[in-house]
Amino acid sequence: MKKPIILVLLILIAFSVDGVAQFTEIKRIQLPDNHLIGSIMGIDVLGNSFLITDMQEQVFLFKDGTDELIPLNPEDCFPGFDFKPIHTFHLADSSIFLINASLPGYRFEADGSCRGSVEDDFIQVPPGKLAVDDDEDRNHFYTLRAFPNQPLRFKSYQETGRLVGESELIKPKFPNFINRFESGGTAVHDGILYYMLPSGAEIYRYDIKRNVSIESIPFEPEYRTAIDVDISADPSQITKDLDEIRDDHYWVSSMFKLSEEYVLIQTHFREGEEYKYGIHFINLKTNEVEEQYAIFEQSFSFARDNKAYRVFDERMEDDNVLNPGIVVYEFTGN
C-alpha cells in the first residue's frame, strides 16, 4: 500500500557559524515510496518541482505537495533507448533536459510527459560544468569541457541541445587535477558566466553576449590555500599526491546562483580525519567575495531562488522509512 508523503513543517531554526551565512530550515520533505530510491546522485529544483537522479540509473520527478514520484524514462517515449542517466535539470521554461551516458539524452515537459529527443551531436557534461540561463525567452544552457593541455571549451546550447555558440576560455594550470575531477562550478547571471576550476584561487568571468573574458575575482579563503601543484599523471602516484593536497589545500566542489544578489560557492577540505565544506558568497552587485563565510560538515546539494537543499536519509534508523528525503533551507542574507 502506498504510504502518503510526510511533510514536516518545522519551527524556524536559523543556523550559522560564528554569526555568518544565515540559513533557516523551513521544511523536511520525506519522499514518497511508490518507487524506491537507492542513493541520490543529484537533485535540481525549480519552484515546487524536484528532479532526483538516482545512482541506480533512475530519474524521478516530484512535485512538492503531492504523494508520488513520477519516473522519467526515455524508453517509455523512445523504445530501445539505452538509459544511463548522468544529470537531469530544469530549463528556464520549466521543461526538463536529461543528459545520458550513451545516447545524448531526452527532453520532457514540466509534467514529465514526453517532449522529444536531444540533438544527436550533443556532448554530455557533468553537473558542475553546466549552467542554466534563467531568461525564459532564450531558454539556453551552457557547458564547459576540459581537454588535456588545452583551453577550456565554452558551449552555448538551445533547449534541444543544438549548439549555437562556442569559444575558448582559459588554459588550466593543473591539467591532471582538472581532468581527473569533475568538481569546480558554473553559474550564470545577467549574461555573465561565473566559473571556477577545482583548484580554486580565482573566479573567472565570461561575457556571453560579447564573447569575451572579463576581469576575474580573487578567491582566498583564510582556512586553506588554493592548490598550487598538479597531481601526477601516473595512476600509482595519484593517491599519495591527493593526500598531500588534502592536508593543506581546499578544492572547489560546486557553485550555484543562489539569488539575484548572490552566487554560492562550496569548497571541500580535510581537517584531521574529517571532511568539511566552506560556504562563500559572491556579491553580484559588487562582484566581490564577501568576507563572511561558514564551515559545515555536509554540503548543499543544490541552491536556487534564495533556497538551498540537502539530502537526508533515515532508513538506517527507522525500518518504516523506505526512501531518503530533502531538507529545504531559506537564505536570509549575510
Side-chain angles (χ1 to χ4, degrees):
M1 186 172 90
K2 181 165 65 177
K3 182 168 62 179
I5 180 171
I6 302 170
L7 183 63
V8 183
L9 294 177
L10 300 175
I11 297 173
L12 298 184
I13 303 172
F15 68 86
S16 66
V17 175
D18 295 331
V20 298
Q22 300 294 326
F23 286 88
T24 299
E25 181 177 327
I26 56 175
K27 70 170 74 171
R28 286 183 177 240
I29 301 171
Q30 179 62 58
L31 293 172
D33 57 17
N34 60 311
H35 294 276
L36 296 183
I37 297 172
S39 179
I40 294 178
M41 181 168 61
I43 65 174
D44 188 275
V45 185
L46 182 62
N48 75 329
S49 180
F50 289 69
L51 293 170
I52 299 158
T53 305
D54 185 353
M55 293 188 72
Q56 294 180 330
E57 298 186 351
Q58 301 181 104
V59 177
F60 298 104
L61 169 64
F62 169 69
K63 301 288 187 177
D64 189 12
T66 67
D67 62 354
E68 66 174 346
L69 297 171
I70 301 170
L72 300 182
N73 190 333
E75 194 167 7
D76 296 337
C77 316
F78 190 115
F81 191 98
D82 186 15
F83 187 38
K84 298 184 184 301
I86 296 174
H87 180 50
T88 315
F89 60 94
H90 296 89
L91 289 167
D93 68 352
S94 299
S95 65
I96 298 166
F97 196 106
L98 183 149
I99 297 178
N100 199 57
S102 53
L103 294 174
Y106 203 82
R107 298 179 297 128
F108 298 88
E109 301 290 354
D111 63 359
S113 58
C114 302
R115 188 172 196 182
S117 299
V118 168
E119 300 289 338
D120 291 341
D121 57 355
F122 175 73
I123 299 174
Q124 305 93 328
V125 294
K129 301 295 191 296
L130 182 147
V132 175
D133 196 321
D134 55 13
D135 185 330
E136 191 171 338
D137 292 332
R138 272 198 301 271
N139 214 31
H140 284 188
F141 66 96
Y142 311 101
T143 68
L144 293 181
R145 285 186 64 84
F147 298 94
N149 299 310
Q150 294 183 32
L152 292 176
R153 300 293 300 180
F154 167 80
K155 296 187 177 186
S156 174
Y157 291 96
Q158 289 185 338
E159 62 185 68
T160 63
R162 183 169 76 86
L163 182 66
V164 293
E166 184 175 9
S167 56
E168 289 187 350
L169 302 182
I170 63 161
K171 185 175 181 180
K173 294 179 181 178
F174 310 118
N176 294 333
F177 188 86
I178 301 305
N179 292 318
R180 185 79 180 179
F181 295 95
E182 295 180 350
S183 51
T186 55
V188 173
H189 172 72
D190 198 22
I192 304 296
L193 174 73
Y194 293 75
Y195 67 99
M196 295 187 73
L197 302 176
S199 51
E202 289 185 84
I203 302 156
Y204 299 98
R205 297 189 296 155
Y206 178 74
D207 189 317
I208 297 169
K209 297 175 184 176
R210 295 193 296 130
N211 297 318
V212 61
S213 292
I214 54 181
E215 185 179 2
S216 62
I217 302 169
F219 183 71
E220 301 171 341
E222 62 183 50
Y223 50 85
R224 291 289 188 278
T225 59
I227 292 168
D228 54 8
V229 62
D230 204 0
I231 61 174
S232 172
D234 180 358
S236 65
Q237 183 69 19
I238 288 175
T239 300
K240 180 176 180 296
D241 290 349
L242 286 177
D243 276 342
E244 292 176 358
I245 286 174
R246 288 167 177 157
D247 285 339
D248 301 310
H249 306 287
Y250 71 88
W251 62 95
V252 178
S253 58
S254 62
M255 289 177 72
F256 301 103
K257 182 180 175 182
L258 177 62
S259 68
E260 292 299 310
E261 291 79 33
Y262 292 104
V263 166
L264 183 152
I265 301 168
Q266 295 191 116
T267 65
H268 193 194
F269 63 96
R270 188 166 67 184
E271 190 171 272
E273 297 300 316
E274 297 182 346
Y275 286 96
K276 296 192 176 181
Y277 295 87
I279 308 293
H280 300 261
F281 303 92
I282 306 171
N283 186 314
L284 292 171
K285 293 180 180 178
T286 64
N287 279 310
E288 296 177 343
V289 178
E290 301 223 329
E291 292 184 4
Q292 294 180 327
Y293 67 92
I295 304 298
F296 299 122
E297 294 183 357
Q298 182 183 359
S299 65
F300 291 121
S301 301
F302 190 75
R304 174 186 271 154
D305 295 335
N306 276 306
K307 292 183 174 63
Y309 304 86
R310 283 176 169 153
V311 173
F312 72 91
D313 195 337
E314 297 177 345
R315 287 176 289 188
M316 295 294 289
E317 291 79 27
D318 187 345
D319 291 340
N320 295 315
V321 176
L322 300 181
N323 271 338
I326 297 171
V327 189
V328 185
Y329 301 90
E330 185 170 23
F331 177 62
T332 56
N334 275 351

